[in-house]
Amino acid sequence: MKSWVEVSEQRLAANYRLLMEAAGAGTAVLAVVKANAYGHGAAICAPVLARAGAKWLGVTDVAEGAAVREALTSEGISSAMQPEILVMSGLIGDEAGAVVRHGLTPVVWDRQQVEWLAGAVSRAGSGVPLAVHVEIDTGMARQGVRPGEDLDELLGWLRAQSGLRLGGVMTHFASSEIAGSPQTVEQAGLFEEAVGAVKAAGLQPAWVHAGNSSTVDNQGVKNFGEGSPAWLRRLAASVGARSMVRTGLALYGYCLPIEQASVSSTKEDVVRPGVEPRLQHVMTWKTRVIGLRDVRPGDTVGYNAIFSAQRAMRLALLPVGYADGVRRELSGSDTRPGGWVMVHGRCAPVVGRVSMNLTIVDVTEILDVAVGDEAVVLGEGITANDHARIAGTIAYEIVCGVRASSRLV
Ligand SMILES: *Cc1c(COP(=O)(O)O)cnc(C)c1O
C-alpha cells in the first residue's frame, strides 16, 4: 500500500472523554463523523466513539448516515446500543426512505423536507413517528429557518404530520472561535427567542443543541456567557430539554486557535488553557520510500526546476502527492522552503514541486535510509497545523483532504 492512515483508538476515545468532561455535567456531546470522520475513516471512528460513550453521531448527508449505521452494525454494536445519527445538512426527496430505513435523525428547516419525510414514514407503515430536529438560522445564513413567522409556519406543518415529532431544536454559530464575539451573542439571543417560540407552540423537544469544538475550547475564556455550554444548559432546561454540543475537529485532536473579538480586549480576557493543549492528534499518515537518488551540485529537481542542489544530496521518493492530499504549497524551492516529512524521526524537507502522485524529500542528513522505510507525512513531528500554516489554510481542510485508507492502531 502506498500510503495509509493510522488512527489511534485510544487517543480518539480519550479526546471524546475530555470533551465530555469539558462540556460539563448534563451536556451531551455529539461526535461529528462527517466527511469520512474528517479524513480519518468514518467506518472505523464511529464504532470507537460509540464504545467511548457517544449517544449521538453527526453526519452531513443520508449516504454518510447509512454507511455509518452499517459500520456500527457490522462492528457488532446491538441496535439498542447504537448512537442516534443526526443528518445535519439536509436531504432530497428520494433519500427520505433511507432516512427511515436506517433510523437516521434528519435536520429539517423547510416544508418540502417535512413532507418528503412524512411521506416516507407513512410508506414504511410502522406507525412509529420519526424524530426530526429543526435548525434555526440565527445568522449563519447557510441553512435553517429564520425565527419569527417562518419558524411558526414550519412548526405548524410539523404538527400537522402525525408521522413526525420534534426531537430537537438546534442552531450553528458562525464565529465560535472568537472570544467574546458579538455575533455569537446575537445568535444566542435569536436562538433563545426561537426556543421560546417552540415552547409557546406547545412542542416539547428532547434536545436543544448548539456549539462546536471551539465552543467547548472557549470555556477557558472569562465571562463566556451567551453561546457557552452553561448558557445552553440553562436554555435547554427552561423548556425541559437536554443540552448538547456538537464537536468534530477536536475529537481528532485539533482546534482553531481562539481569537480575540477586538484589539481592545486584553490577554486577560482569554484565560488559557481550554481543552486544546490536552487534545491528542489521532491521525498518523504514513507512506514508504520507493526510491533513492544521489544528485550533484547544480542538478535541479522536479517540475519547473524550482529547486537546485547546492551540494551533493541524497533524495528519497515518496509515492504520495497532491492527488492524495499532500498540499502543493508544501513544495520547496530555492527561494522558499516548503514542508517536510519525518523519516527515522528526523525532518526530511520537501524539495521541488509536490507532484500529483509523488513527492521528493531530502534525506542527505539522515543515515541509512533504505527503500521501504516508513515516512510520516502527517503525525508526530509534522502536524496538520504545520501543513495548514504552510498552505495558508486551516487544519480542517488538511485532515479532510487526506485520501488514504485507515486502520486502527
Ligand atoms: C461540522 C459541524 C459541527 C462540528 O464542527 P467542529 O468545528 O468540527 O467542531 C457542528 N455542527 C454542525 C452543524 C456542523 O456542520
Side-chain angles (χ1 to χ4, degrees), residues 19-81:
L19 290 167
M20 288 245 283
E21 182 196 307
T27 296
V29 175
L30 176 147
V32 180
V33 294
K34 68 188 178 192
N36 201 26
Y38 293 47
H40 293 66
I44 68 168
C45 292
V48 172
L49 291 161
R51 290 201 179 94
K55 300 283 179 275
W56 281 91
L57 300 175
V59 297
T60 199
D61 59 24
V62 176
E64 281 187 353
V68 166
R69 183 64 83 206
E70 276 158 17
L72 294 169
T73 303
S74 73
E75 279 292 307
I77 300 174
S78 70
S79 45
M81 294 303 291

Side-chain angles (χ1 to χ4, degrees), residues 30 32 34 38 59-60 86 88-89 135 142-143 170-172 176 210-214 245-252 256 396:
L30 176 147
V32 180
K34 68 188 178 192
Y38 293 47
V59 297
T60 199
L86 189 70
M88 301 191 297
S89 299
E135 177 160 355
R142 189 168 69 168
Q143 54 181 52
M170 64 174 284
T171 196
H172 194 46
S176 59
N212 67 344
S213 296
S214 293
V245 290
R246 305 178 304 264
T247 61
L249 190 67
L251 290 170
Y252 308 102
L256 286 181
Y396 288 79

Side-chain angles (χ1 to χ4, degrees), residues 96-253:
V99 168
V100 177
R101 215 163 43 247
H102 294 285
L104 309 177
T105 306
V107 171
V108 300
W109 60 87
D110 72 24
R111 180 178 192 162
Q112 184 142 61
Q113 294 166 329
V114 166
E115 287 174 351
W116 283 331
L117 291 163
V121 172
S122 109
R123 279 192 301 281
S126 71
V128 184
L130 175 76
V132 300
H133 289 204
V134 164
E135 177 160 355
I136 314 295
D137 176 13
T138 55
M140 185 79 173
R142 189 168 69 168
Q143 54 181 52
V145 59
R146 298 286 299 178
E149 269 177 39
D150 292 355
L151 173 61
D152 293 343
E153 233 175 19
L154 180 70
L155 295 175
W157 294 322
L158 253 181
R159 253 203 317 237
Q161 302 291 349
S162 60
L164 304 182
R165 64 185 177 84
L166 180 66
V169 183
M170 64 174 284
T171 196
H172 194 46
F173 295 128
S175 303
S176 59
E177 74 278 21
I178 301 176
S181 163
Q183 186 179 20
T184 303
V185 173
E186 191 183 323
Q187 288 192 265
L190 285 170
F191 192 49
E192 285 176 6
E193 188 188 306
V195 169
V198 168
K199 187 182 185 187
L203 291 162
Q204 176 63 66
W207 295 96
V208 169
H209 51 109
N212 67 344
S213 296
S214 293
T215 300
V216 177
D217 188 37
N218 242 324
Q219 295 211 102
V221 174
K222 231 188 241 171
N223 304 325
F224 185 21
E226 289 100 328
S228 69
W231 160 86
L232 189 66
R233 263 191 298 281
R234 284 192 300 275
L235 177 60
S238 75
V239 293
R242 293 192 58 194
S243 66
M244 179 157 72
V245 290
R246 305 178 304 264
T247 61
L249 190 67
L251 290 170
Y252 308 102

Side-chain angles (χ1 to χ4, degrees), residues 81-98:
M81 294 303 291
Q82 289 205 9
E84 307 287 342
I85 300 175
L86 189 70
V87 178
M88 301 191 297
S89 299
L91 70 151
I92 41 174
D94 59 11
E95 296 174 315

